[in-house]
Amino acid sequence: MLLVETESFGDKGGWVLDQQFMDQMGSPYLMAHGMGKPVANATTNITFPETGTYYIYVRTFNWTSPWTSTNGPGKFTLKIGNKKLPVVLGDKGSEWMWQSAGKITVKDLQTTVSLVDLTGFNGRCDAIYFTTEERNVPPSDIKELALFRKKMLNIPAIPEETESYDFVVVGGGIAGMCASAAASRLGCKVALINDRPVLGGNNSSEIRVHLGGSIELEPNKGLGRMIREFGHSREGNAKPGDYYEDGKKSEFIANERNITLYSNYRAIAVKKNGDKIESIIIKNIETGKEICLKAPLFSDCTGDGTIGYLAGADYTSGRESRAEFGEELAPEVADNMTMGASVQWYSVDAGKKIKFPQFRYGVEFNDTNAEKVTMGEWKWETGMNLDQVNEFERIRDYGLLVVFSNWSFLKNELIDNDKYVNRELGWVAYIAGKRESRRLLGDYILKQDDIDKNVFHEDASFVTTWSIDLHFPDSVNSSRFPDQEFKAATKHIRIYPYAVPYRCLYSRNIDNLFMAGRDISVTHVALGTVRVMRTTGMMGEVVGMAASLCKKYNTTPRIIYQAHLSELKVLMKEGAGKHDVPDNQRFNEQKPLKTPRGLNNSENK
């Protein structure tokens, strides 16, 4: 028997590595994201344990099955050595499954296996299993499959490698980067965990969202200056990849001698001792190697609140009722609606006629409902009525489905399509840009009233300046695609710059857990203003400063508030950023109100 994990392929060709859903479906996988053009083969060397006849099973998924019963577009096949197998894979079934790929006779123990994409439409392959026993299929249950993988790949049940740090930060977005850098500069030995090859999260070239919010504002004017060191100098969503300057982010972290970056590692498990996290286990998304990281302090900068969730931290999701916190912007009755995730895209002029394959898989476009555009940015948003964690693969896939379906109509069926004849898809995100999922609860929960009335808190920390920007399904799109909308709308409600309490940045029931990013302790309404990335970067900076004080006094985040707040205030006023970096960034920010809304409603409605 031989199990080959595709994420470990030596040459991935044109296939991309997707780890976004490994907690739900069990593993990262390779995907043929060719935007309608077949991608180059992914190939790796394999060694069979013995010669003989092998039956082949491939774990794959027909990704359009939630919307149509027809065979899907994600077709691919296998090539063993120089022999291309005839079985088409990836276009049948309705869930992740082991599909038979036929059988081969093995005479040479060493050969190669390749994934051969047939369409360019996101065929996906998790693993390939060779067995001499027909119908000896690996388990489908996620827990059983995890044990099977470890056994087949000789991965120890308990990680053999353990490393210790002062502070472990999970999540390499803007919040995690700033938390790590601030703690590092204040003397902490830091581990930064990032489950992608590039840093920056939504601001990376993989997702392409600009940095929103303003920095360096009173009462803690020092906060945010460090963002000058890596922030982009050109703004905009869904722009060419170089706009997002991934290299500057990598250099920013690499220059911090106290930070160890675990790139391409995902946190998968937490071990607790009482109400404290003792350690976490991280897993390499390519090799499967697991490492145990120990520390007295952790920060959840994952966006999804993953570490808090695994540790049993109190959390919430969805929208609170209007009565719960007295928020006029909240619904009358609480529900599970969230802001959605965006699959951004753009097309380019090729200077000649370009064809695009017919793409129809359950969502019909016509002259009256098609989006007659050449690009789509944040408004192309899906999953507002679904679970942004457990149903996220479906949410992302629907984003891909509508992009390809709409483009197919514009290219192949729109009568007056001169605008599109010479255009081709230049970029479509496959890492979806998420806005909201779990929110971890701290000693204070920020609400609309705090912002409207500019409520003073003695532990005022980072300043939020973005409007209360709450996305909801676009009514026109919803009427055209009932229960299948894929576009969002918003109403920007301007605010007065507001300093958020430090108590929103640590867990109320996990003693040594900080959080920074969109998973901090706020209501759904308040999330609308704190979630943009310059703001989350300042959250991270505050967390890094507080972590350094926790180390200094051998204490917990809550005690920093109770006993060392004055020292934290000194650090926040100074900031952890370098003073010799010019401000060459263009800020994307609405004009703030001159007075808080709740204090002068007649003037500022």
Side-chain angles (χ1 to χ4, degrees):
M1 298 182 292
L2 175 66
L3 179 68
V4 181
E5 294 278 11
T6 60
E7 61 264 28
S8 67
F9 269 39
D11 178 4
K12 294 180 176 61
W15 294 65
V16 296
L17 177 57
D18 195 343
Q19 92 308 332
Q20 296 171 92
F21 324 108
M22 60 185 285
D23 297 345
Q24 288 73 46
M25 55 77 64
S27 174
Y29 57 80
L30 290 189
M31 183 168 66
H33 185 56
M35 299 179 291
K37 298 179 181 179
V39 304
N41 294 354
T43 302
T44 199
N45 296 320
I46 58 174
T47 302
F48 288 99
E50 59 184 354
T51 59
T53 298
Y54 283 84
Y55 299 89
I56 309 170
Y57 297 94
V58 174
R59 191 165 187 250
T60 184
F61 174 46
N62 172 19
W63 68 273
T64 58
S65 59
W67 303 282
T68 178
S69 59
T70 61
N71 287 358
K75 301 176 181 180
F76 67 98
T77 188
L78 294 186
K79 185 177 179 183
I80 310 297
N82 294 319
K83 182 180 179 181
K84 185 176 178 180
L85 303 186
V87 178
V88 174
L89 304 163
D91 65 338
K92 299 177 181 65
S94 59
E95 60 186 1
W96 279 98
M97 57 180 279
W98 291 98
Q99 183 178 347
S100 173
K103 63 181 180 179
I104 58 169
T105 299
V106 172
K107 297 180 180 179
D108 297 321
L109 296 183
Q110 294 185 336
T111 187
T112 59
V113 59
S114 301
L115 303 180
V116 182
D117 176 32
L118 302 177
T119 66
F121 280 126
N122 298 82
R124 54 203 66 179
C125 183
D126 170 27
I128 307 165
Y129 180 59
F130 299 88
T131 176
T132 55
E133 301 176 27
E134 188 175 8
R135 289 184 290 277
N136 177 24
V137 183
S140 294
D141 177 79
I142 297 301
K143 291 183 179 180
E144 292 180 10
L145 181 57
L147 295 175
F148 176 81
R149 289 181 196 275
K150 285 194 171 185
K151 179 180 178 182
M152 292 297 299
L153 301 173
N154 294 316
I155 297 174
I158 300 174
E160 295 178 335
E161 182 178 342
T162 299
E163 301 289 344
S164 296
Y165 294 89
D166 298 321
F167 186 36
V168 172
V169 178
V170 185
I174 303 302
M177 290 171 59
C178 291
S180 301
S184 167
R185 293 176 185 184
L186 292 168
C188 292
K189 181 184 177 184
V190 182
L192 174 59
I193 319 306
N194 188 43
D195 66 359
R196 295 298 302 166
V198 297
L199 293 161
N202 281 347
N203 184 239
S204 72
S205 62
E206 293 186 319
I207 303 174
R208 308 189 187 183
V209 178
H210 63 73
L211 295 172
S214 295
I215 58 176
E216 300 176 74
L217 297 172
E218 297 292 352
N220 298 309
K221 199 168 183 179
L223 293 177
R225 188 173 61 243
M226 69 163 49
I227 298 175
R228 295 186 185 191
E229 299 172 38
F230 62 82
H232 53 70
S233 54
R234 292 178 290 178
E235 65 181 2
N237 296 325
K239 299 295 183 181
D242 59 356
Y243 272 55
Y244 304 92
E245 301 181 72
D246 291 343
K248 286 173 66 174
K249 300 182 186 75
S250 296
E251 185 178 4
F252 172 75
I253 294 299
N255 287 338
E256 294 296 326
R257 60 184 179 85
N258 288 331
I259 296 178
T260 300
L261 173 63
Y262 289 88
S263 185
N264 284 328
Y265 274 88
R266 187 178 182 96
I268 61 169
V270 167
K271 182 180 179 182
K272 288 171 59 182
N273 183 357
D275 291 331
K276 289 187 177 182
I277 299 173
E278 184 177 273
S279 62
I280 65 171
I281 295 175
I282 61 174
K283 185 183 187 74
N284 189 285
I285 65 171
E286 291 188 298
T287 67
K289 178 183 178 180
E290 295 181 359
I291 303 174
C292 176
L293 301 181
K294 292 185 174 182
L297 295 164
F298 295 82
S299 184
D300 190 328
C301 301
T302 63
D304 283 334
T306 302
I307 301 305
Y309 174 77
L310 292 172
D314 293 339
Y315 75 94
T316 189
S317 59
R319 303 190 297 180
E320 295 87 354
S321 70
R322 187 171 302 171
E324 185 171 355
F325 291 96
E327 297 177 304
E328 64 176 347
L329 295 176
E332 287 284 355
V333 179
D335 59 32
N336 294 321
M337 180 177 284
T338 65
M339 289 179 279
S342 290
V343 170
Q344 301 191 122
W345 64 278
Y346 62 72
S347 64
V348 295
D349 188 341
K352 61 181 180 180
K353 186 175 181 179
I354 298 293
K355 293 183 178 180
F356 188 79
Q358 288 279 357
F359 190 96
R360 285 201 195 104
Y361 293 92
V363 180
E364 294 297 323
F365 284 84
N366 55 52
D367 191 62
T368 61
N369 67 13
E371 295 289 331
K372 297 170 185 175
V373 294
T374 59
M375 69 168 297
E377 48 171 310
W378 69 266
K379 291 184 178 180
W380 288 64
E381 185 173 334
T382 58
M384 285 175 272
N385 291 299
L386 297 176
D387 186 324
Q388 290 282 341
V389 175
N390 294 313
E391 296 179 283
F392 194 47
E393 186 173 24
R394 176 173 178 158
I395 291 168
R396 189 282 307 271
D397 286 349
Y398 188 60
L400 294 174
L401 181 81
V402 294
V403 171
F404 296 146
S405 300
N406 185 72
W407 191 247
S408 175
F409 174 79
L410 297 179
K411 292 287 291 184
N412 299 312
E413 298 171 69
L414 182 65
I415 295 174
D416 184 15
N417 75 338
D418 291 348
K419 181 179 179 179
Y420 306 101
V421 168
N422 290 351
R423 300 194 74 87
E424 63 180 346
L425 292 175
W427 174 76
V428 179
Y430 69 93
I431 305 291
K434 194 183 296 191
R435 290 174 179 82
E436 179 180 8
S437 54
R438 303 184 189 106
R439 302 187 299 280
L440 303 177
L441 299 178
D443 279 351
Y444 194 84
I445 301 173
L446 186 73
K447 57 190 179 299
Q448 182 185 348
D449 203 48
D450 291 303
I451 298 163
D452 280 353
K453 297 179 180 178
N454 197 27
V455 175
F456 172 77
H457 295 281
E458 62 174 345
D459 57 336
S461 61
F462 69 94
V463 173
T464 185
T465 56
W466 196 257
S467 66
I468 298 179
D469 176 10
L470 297 170
H471 294 196
F472 47 85
D474 177 83
S475 58
V476 174
N477 187 256
S478 293
S479 67
R480 292 172 174 173
F481 300 90
D483 299 321
Q484 294 196 99
E485 59 269 341
F486 57 86
K487 294 195 72 178
T490 190
K491 180 181 180 182
H492 287 285
I493 300 174
R494 291 187 296 147
I495 70 166
Y496 184 79
Y498 181 75
V500 177
Y502 161 72
R503 285 166 292 161
C504 296
L505 299 177
Y506 61 85
S507 170
R508 70 187 187 187
N509 69 309
I510 303 298
D511 290 345
N512 61 340
L513 179 63
F514 287 103
M515 53 266 195
R518 59 181 172 81
D519 60 358
I520 68 166
S521 184
V522 296
T523 65
H524 168 83
V525 171
L527 180 65
T529 181
V530 302
R531 62 183 175 80
V532 294
M533 284 180 280
R534 286 194 183 90
T535 305
T536 62
M538 291 189 289
M539 296 177 198
E541 193 173 352
V542 173
V543 162
M545 293 170 173
S548 74
L549 295 178
C550 287
K551 177 187 176 183
K552 179 178 179 180
Y553 295 107
N554 188 28
T555 192
T556 62
R558 178 178 289 115
I559 301 302
I560 299 303
Y561 167 67
Q562 294 175 343
H564 305 287
L565 182 59
S566 59
E567 195 167 347
L568 178 61
K569 287 182 176 181
V570 172
L571 292 174
M572 292 191 296
K573 285 185 178 296
E574 173 61 23
K578 297 177 180 178
H579 287 267
D580 59 350
V581 181
D583 184 3
N584 63 354
Q585 300 179 63
R586 296 177 62 191
F587 294 147
N588 188 298
E589 179 60 279
Q590 306 97 335
K591 183 179 178 181
L593 295 176
K594 295 181 180 179
T595 59
R597 289 195 319 125
L599 299 184
N600 194 349
N601 281 330
S602 62
E603 178 183 347
N604 294 303
K605 282 185 179 179

